[in-house]
Amino acid sequence: MSRSGGESPVSVRWNGGADGQLELLDQTRLPAAVEWIACRDVAAVIEAIRSLRVRGAPAIGIAGAYGVVVAAGEAIRAGLAPAPARAHVLLAAAELAEARPTAVNLRWAVERVLRVIEPPDARSTAASATDIAARLLDEAVAIHEEDRRLCAAIGRYGADILPEGDVLTHCNTGALATGGDGTALAVITTAWADGRRFQVWADETRPLFQGARLTAWELVQRGIPVTVLVDSAAGHLLATGRIGCCIVGADRVTANGDTANKIGTYGLAVLAAAHDVPFYVAAPSSTFDLAIIEGAEIPIEHRGAAEVTSPWGQAVAPEGAGAFNPAFDVTPARLIRGIVTERGVISPVTREQVARVLGAG
Ligand code: MRU
């Protein structure tokens, strides 16, 4: 791999025509193994999203969109007539949209692909399963390709404002999490490709280690220096004064700029504020949920106890101990210096600026 940034890995791909299959790089196996799984039915897509084989807000949106095409493929193979084929796709889409609750990209992408087969278009209701699948696939591919461009634009806007000094990030926001180079990680890799030199510090990101397993994997492949730290070392690291900024991704941003992201993000933002280190979020417009005014309204996914009490099947807590395992938390807008989007940087982070940059007000 090149030392100047290199190629980004691909984590989601479609193989074949309208009745083809969704293929996912199984992120639960990284960094030990690079393995692809094939999803030929909707149940497999939902399982992959729930178990984080595919993860990261934009990537689960793209997988969800292709998942709707997979549903149409099921209808083709079952020989369903137009009306039952359409009903099957709508039902599967509703299940896909609910596979994970916090990242709004999933619902956004599923709703967007469905719009191409919506009535009152008479052609829609009469369309054969093959026709439906072809239309859905075109739209899913469009979402995928668009995300590639959004990542590039976010990388460019963010690199232009990235402060001097080392960069601290949380979770994984790279190519694995998107259809392109990433969001927060694209800012880092774009700045690196510009010739900027710094150390990237990656929170390991308990309990599922997306920072250690995935962000470090991506950066090592690209030849960008990365150091992994346990999440609880972030305060000590910030106190050294070497961190120029923190930058993270988002799963849902509300109209006032409050941001849901991987658990631990809020704590990191509080620490950054205490040390006067600017805290940035990077996210495409598809991650904004302008129907929600503030962060308290964002549904937070809670996951199983075993992720905390016995990671990889190894008990680290006694039997009988409970576990608190929210997958996300909400960082209030006042702790965020700027939100980097594909349309520009929202700063200060206020309801007015969100509306102005996103062109929604
Ligand atoms: O549970 P995950 O791994 O899907 O959580 C991912 C995150 O929190 C990311 O920071 C976010 O989705 C942004 S990805 C560009």
Side-chain angles (χ1 to χ4, degrees):
M1 248 343 137
S2 132
R3 308 296 293 174
S4 60
E7 292 278 302
S8 21
V10 170
S11 63
V12 180
R13 65 186 184 210
W14 182 261
N15 186 354
D19 69 341
Q21 62 188 23
L22 170 62
E23 296 177 346
L24 302 169
L25 177 61
D26 186 349
Q27 298 190 39
T28 63
R29 302 280 293 125
L30 288 171
V34 177
E35 282 177 9
W36 285 81
I37 54 163
C39 302
R40 281 281 276 173
D41 54 58
V42 174
V45 181
I46 290 175
E47 190 281 332
I49 293 173
R50 285 204 181 123
S51 60
L52 273 63
R53 296 185 200 286
V54 59
R55 46 142 303 281
I60 66 173
I62 295 163
Y66 284 127
V68 182
V69 189
V70 168
E74 288 176 332
I76 295 173
R77 288 191 295 280
L80 297 184
R86 200 167 167 279
H88 175 77
V89 167
L90 292 180
L91 191 67
E95 285 169 9
L96 280 160
E98 306 219 314
R100 292 189 77 190
T102 303
V104 76
N105 303 63
L106 178 56
R107 195 189 69 203
W108 170 85
V110 167
E111 284 175 358
R112 180 169 151 184
V113 286
L114 280 185
R115 280 202 287 276
V116 303
I117 59 160
E118 249 169 24
D121 178 359
R123 273 185 59 220
S124 297
T125 40
S128 69
T130 307
D131 237 36
I132 288 175
R135 282 196 238 171
L136 292 170
L137 180 59
D138 282 351
E139 192 65 3
V141 169
I143 290 174
H144 196 169
E145 280 171 2
E146 223 172 85
D147 196 61
R148 228 167 266 148
R149 292 193 291 275
L150 303 189
C151 288
I154 289 171
R156 184 68 267 146
Y157 276 119
D160 288 346
I161 58 147
L162 195 72
E164 290 301 314
D166 285 356
V167 183
L168 175 55
T169 189
H170 192 71
C171 198
N172 172 265
T173 60
L176 293 170
T178 63
D181 274 349
T183 57
L185 211 62
V187 171
I188 290 169
T189 55
T190 304
W192 187 268
D194 284 350
R196 301 271 301 275
R197 289 299 174 258
F198 45 77
Q199 176 80 23
V200 182
W201 299 80
D203 281 349
E204 63 176 359
T205 316
R206 290 270 173 136
L208 296 179
F209 298 94
Q210 289 93 329
R213 293 189 303 107
L214 308 177
T215 298
W217 184 76
E218 286 196 41
L219 290 173
V220 164
Q221 289 206 47
R222 300 184 79 130
I224 299 176
V226 57
T227 301
V228 175
L229 58 146
V230 296
D231 299 346
S232 49
H236 181 70
L237 176 64
L238 286 159
T240 64
R242 61 181 299 166
I243 300 298
C245 76
C246 300
I247 185 159
V248 301
D251 287 83
R252 197 184 294 222
V253 184
T254 60
N256 73 348
D258 289 351
T259 296
N261 190 48
K262 180 51 55 194
I263 191 71
T265 301
Y266 171 44
L268 186 62
V270 171
L271 285 169
H275 293 90
D276 215 12
V277 170
F279 189 92
Y280 289 97
V281 169
S285 50
S286 51
T287 299
F288 284 72
D289 184 354
L290 300 178
I292 288 185
I293 307 299
E294 54 181 31
E297 297 168 70
I298 299 175
I300 298 292
E301 175 184 9
H302 284 254
R303 296 182 62 84
E307 289 180 356
V308 175
T309 57
S310 50
W312 292 295
Q314 176 72 47
V316 295
E319 221 170 292
F324 178 57
N325 191 17
F328 302 97
D329 57 26
V330 175
T331 300
R334 69 187 147 77
L335 295 176
I336 303 169
R337 178 72 58 91
I339 305 180
V340 184
T341 77
E342 80 277 11
R343 300 186 194 166
V345 181
I346 300 167
S347 184
V349 182
T350 60
R351 201 170 167 180
E352 294 66 37
Q353 289 302 315
V354 169
R356 190 186 63 79
V357 174
L358 294 188

